[in-house]
Amino acid sequence: MSWLLIYKALHIAFMVAWFAGIFYLPRLFVYHAQTQSAEVDAQFKVMERRLLYFVTPFAILTAVFGALLIHSYGSAWFAASHWLHVKLLLVAMLYAYHGYCFKLLADFKHNRNKRSARFYRFFNEAPVLVLFAVVLLAVVKPF
């Protein structure tokens, strides 16, 4: 068994775990934005914080094992893999999305949320579209 396959398996596993949280957190934001109850508001604040802090290490480990994969394949492969450059740009957008979730979390924590549940419904769909593009690029390698 090669290290490359271990890195690849761990990269995929941590990515799946990360995305489970990234898909669920904005859904919590949808419901949180709709609540009028102080008790429910407090419960959402706890759930959102715990979820975001739980999945953040998965995001970090996804990057670590992705970097190990790139390193294992080598710089010549990296230079020739133009599909990977596009994938990495999309992945950078996902990390920015993840970071923005911390800002949204802080807004809810300090009762500063000004966004509607509708905004969060659309916000919830963005990583799905990017994930489809990333997976297609990684599997098809179109250029």
Side-chain angles (χ1 to χ4, degrees), residues 17-82:
W18 175 33
F19 267 85
I22 286 299
F23 289 157
Y24 187 51
L25 181 63
R27 181 55 45 184
L28 290 176
F29 290 159
V30 169
Y31 302 136
H32 195 166
Q34 293 174 330
T35 190
Q36 302 297 319
S37 166
E39 288 178 1
V40 174
D41 177 73
Q43 185 63 41
F44 275 125
K45 288 176 182 177
V46 170
M47 292 170 64
E48 292 158 356
R49 179 181 48 78
R50 286 183 179 170
L51 180 59
L52 187 55
Y53 283 94
F54 178 73
V55 300
T56 296
F58 299 144
I60 293 166
L61 289 167
T62 299
V64 166
F65 287 104
L68 285 170
L69 274 171
I70 292 169
H71 177 61
S72 296
Y73 278 111
S75 59
W77 172 83
F78 179 75
S81 300
H82 301 292

Side-chain angles (χ1 to χ4, degrees), residues 53-129:
Y53 283 94
F54 178 73
V55 300
T56 296
F58 299 144
I60 293 166
L61 289 167
T62 299
V64 166
F65 287 104
L68 285 170
L69 274 171
I70 292 169
H71 177 61
S72 296
Y73 278 111
S75 59
W77 172 83
F78 179 75
S81 300
H82 301 292
W83 64 270
L84 181 59
H85 304 155
V86 176
K87 177 190 171 197
L88 290 174
L89 176 64
L90 292 170
V91 168
M93 292 168 53
L94 290 169
Y95 281 98
Y97 180 96
H98 186 105
Y100 187 62
C101 286
F102 279 99
K103 190 260 187 229
L104 296 173
L105 183 75
D107 287 347
F108 277 112
K109 177 182 177 181
H110 299 294
N111 300 316
R112 296 186 306 232
N113 177 53
K114 303 290 186 228
R115 305 211 183 258
S116 69
R118 182 180 168 106
F119 167 82
Y120 291 112
R121 287 184 206 287
F122 285 108
F123 184 72
N124 187 216
E125 301 305 323
V128 175
L129 300 174

